[in-house]
Amino acid sequence: MAVTPRDVVAALAAACLTLALLLATARAAEIDPAASAIGFTLKTRWGKTLIGHFPRYEGEVATLPDGRHQVRLRLAAAEVEIDGSSTFTRLTRGEGFFEADRFPWVEFVSDPYSTDLTRHGGRLGGRVTIRGVERRESFVIRPAVCERPGVECDIVARGSIDRDDYGMGRWGFALSDKVVFSLRVRTVPESDA
């Protein structure tokens, strides 16, 4: 069977369409670590609140082909720090908590969402992975204080998990079961290039 010029044009058109769809899927704004903060609070059994943060993380807010967005976030468990306590920092990195030597990343991949969620606030669901255990969780997004959340102002979110759900039940005599995550996120400004 001979290849006609029409076949060549059709093949080129299909290749261009496929490339355009791949580029649309891959478009993402990186989370800006210099302008963002990700942390958590945890209570001890004697009422003290421990404040932890993740100094190193990587993430993006991807724009999907249908115009919705998706957050993909990875937090370096080996670098987690508890303010003012080397002992609790060691415990949270260790075997009874994040077990960072075996599971170096805490991950979150959100469900697709519209920009209305970041403007008006609401609940954002997704998959959290800690210590190799993946579960559905949700975060509450606060209403934005600007027109372009993540660019002109922070996207602020909060959500809690139960440590036992992720095999982090050790130290139950000293630590409460609930861990409350808090995120204040901005993206790296896109260049005009």
Side-chain angles (χ1 to χ4, degrees):
M1 180 173 186
V3 176
T4 67
R6 178 183 277 184
D7 294 334
V8 172
V9 170
L12 285 173
C16 288
L17 179 61
T18 301
L19 180 61
L21 288 173
L22 287 173
L23 289 175
T25 302
R27 215 178 61 185
E30 288 184 39
I31 292 175
D32 185 353
S36 302
I38 300 173
F40 61 92
T41 56
L42 179 65
K43 293 213 182 267
T44 66
R45 295 291 184 195
W46 49 92
K48 181 178 180 181
T49 299
L50 303 175
I51 299 171
H53 60 271
F54 293 91
R56 187 165 73 91
Y57 51 87
E58 53 193 48
E60 65 182 16
V61 179
T63 301
L64 303 175
D66 64 3
R68 294 182 301 166
H69 301 281
Q70 184 178 50
V71 175
R72 300 174 190 137
L73 185 61
R74 290 171 25 115
L75 314 172
E79 296 182 35
V80 68
E81 295 178 1
I82 302 293
D83 292 350
S85 177
S86 59
T87 300
F88 280 113
T89 293
R90 195 170 48 258
L91 288 176
T92 54
R93 291 178 184 178
E95 185 180 336
F97 209 86
F98 288 125
E99 197 173 354
D101 59 337
R102 285 190 57 215
F103 305 101
W105 296 100
V106 171
E107 299 183 23
F108 175 68
V109 177
S110 79
D111 296 336
Y113 63 92
S114 74
T115 55
D116 286 345
L117 178 66
T118 55
R119 285 192 187 112
H120 305 295
R123 193 164 290 280
L124 175 63
R127 296 181 320 274
V128 172
T129 306
I130 302 174
R131 294 172 53 114
V133 177
E134 181 181 298
R135 293 183 56 90
R136 286 205 49 82
E137 303 285 358
S138 66
F139 291 84
V140 175
I141 309 293
R142 285 204 323 217
V145 296
C146 67
E147 275 301 306
R148 296 188 318 148
V151 177
E152 297 171 352
C153 63
D154 296 339
I155 297 172
V156 179
R158 188 177 174 96
S160 64
I161 64 158
D162 187 311
R163 292 188 311 119
D164 289 334
D165 290 341
Y166 295 92
M168 301 189 304
R170 197 167 173 192
W171 312 113
F173 66 90
L175 302 173
S176 68
D177 295 331
K178 188 164 93 167
V179 180
V180 179
F181 285 89
S182 57
L183 299 87
R184 184 180 50 75
V185 175
R186 289 214 190 192
T187 56
V188 174
E190 292 183 31
S191 65
D192 294 330

